[in-house]
Amino acid sequence: MTQLFSNSKQWLRRLTVAALLVTTGSLLPVAPVLAKDVAKYDGVPTPSKSRMLGLAKADNIERQSAQQYEQMKQQAAGQRVLAPADYPQLVRLRQIADKLIPFAIEFSERYVDEKNPVNRAKQWKWEVNLIASKQLNAFCMPGGKIAFYTGIIDTLQLTDDEIAQIMGHEIAHAVLEHGRERAAKGTGAQIATVGASVLSQVFGFGDLGGQLVGGAVQYKMLSYGRNDELEADMVGMDIAARAGYDPRAGAALWKKMSAATGGKAPPEFMSTHPSHKTRIKDIEAHLPETLPLYGRAAKRDVYSLPPYETNWQGKRVSVQ
């Protein structure tokens, strides 16, 4: 356990930088995406959206997502694995979502311009459900349809901060329209889908587990998939931090994921998803941008924050 959550001189240097950002009132620059009010955006850089989105209509994607989500709920209810509204873990998830969603809508506002005059996330009928399954899985479909599996909460002994990181990550996929982009690219390349339905591949079920990839066309698209994951990590951290959840939980989460899976994963060049080490490194690299957001939400200076604490193997562990 000491090895799993060891101190990092590099991380401490980044924390020092973050503290300086708060005390000096300085913020790291963000990537200009829109002409409108770019200067007001603090936190992580704003990712640009793909020009290929026009190949897949948002209304169609969101409608299909809602239909499949409803089918999933019906099937889960039929098998008695859909949590009732008063189930404590579902209540917990919905409380966290209620805090994250306003900031997801706020982030989505960055993409509103003359060509895209509607903040789609603001119009979504957001929904959160919990399914009894041992899978380490969670997802958010286009249109704000969120689902968690009990396996990821129970196996990783998730804190609220860690749930917020996962939920923020999945919400970020939806806000950044990664599913729509994948649908557009998939249509353009005429890629055969794998699994029970088109949406089960396009919208990333099994997202956190990673996938082995086959097929020449899919192999060429690997860097695209990894970039999406890293973008979602980054934006999810931003959204969760603004809602008052500690972004340091992201690194702890992936260390626990690595420990829970025995560190076994396909080589990064063979996977659509970044390795655990890559994700942890990237998350820590964005702490100088997200810790000030969390400090602001928590009404605390960054340098005065206590170490992050998580649950693991029945113990409370400090993550330095």
Side-chain angles (χ1 to χ4, degrees), residues 167-180:
M167 191 178 293
H169 171 98
E170 300 302 333
I171 286 174
H173 276 307
V175 168
L176 297 172
E177 297 191 275
H178 286 159
R180 182 182 171 198

Side-chain angles (χ1 to χ4, degrees), residues 43-58:
V44 303
T46 306
S48 299
K49 290 190 179 183
S50 172
R51 295 180 179 179
M52 295 186 68
L53 287 177
L55 297 177
K57 293 184 178 180

